[in-house]
Amino acid sequence: MALVAVSACTLASAATEVNTASVADLDGVKGIGPALSARILKARETGSFQSWADLFGRVQGMGKASAARLSAEGLTVNGAAFGDAPASAAPQALARPASGASR
């Protein structure tokens, strides 16, 4: 039982949220060094990152490949790993054009 509790704590602390992480937190993610963490924090000054696309769109040197690697190392954006899509996003996007077309 103690081993299960330790494992759960380790997994819970493995995630690093990009919108709240400190320099030390970001530098603790394998693949993020001082230069990238500084660019992330600089871009975050203008507002929280809304999505992974927002993150790699605003931070120079970030792209889909690096986002996938950093996500695998525990980086999250609004609690989501790279590749996670909100379940409600696609149905809403499809519903809007259909309702506009029927008028």
Side-chain angles (χ1 to χ4, degrees):
M1 286 231 177
L3 181 58
V4 172
V6 170
S7 295
C9 290
T10 302
L11 290 175
S13 65
T16 302
E17 173 55 45
V18 73
N19 285 313
T20 58
S22 67
V23 173
D25 294 335
L26 291 171
D27 286 345
V29 175
K30 184 178 177 182
I32 297 181
L36 181 55
S37 63
R39 289 193 308 269
I40 290 170
L41 293 177
K42 181 72 174 167
R44 196 171 75 188
E45 288 176 3
T46 62
S48 295
F49 298 105
Q50 301 303 308
S51 64
W52 278 95
D54 185 29
L55 174 66
F56 57 75
R58 290 168 44 196
V59 177
Q60 182 184 7
M62 289 279 299
K64 290 181 180 182
S66 57
R69 271 193 318 276
L70 296 174
S71 179
E73 293 298 329
L75 191 68
T76 62
V77 177
N78 289 324
F82 183 69
D84 289 353
S88 61
Q92 288 177 353
L94 294 174
R96 282 189 208 131
S99 64
S102 64
R103 290 183 185 195

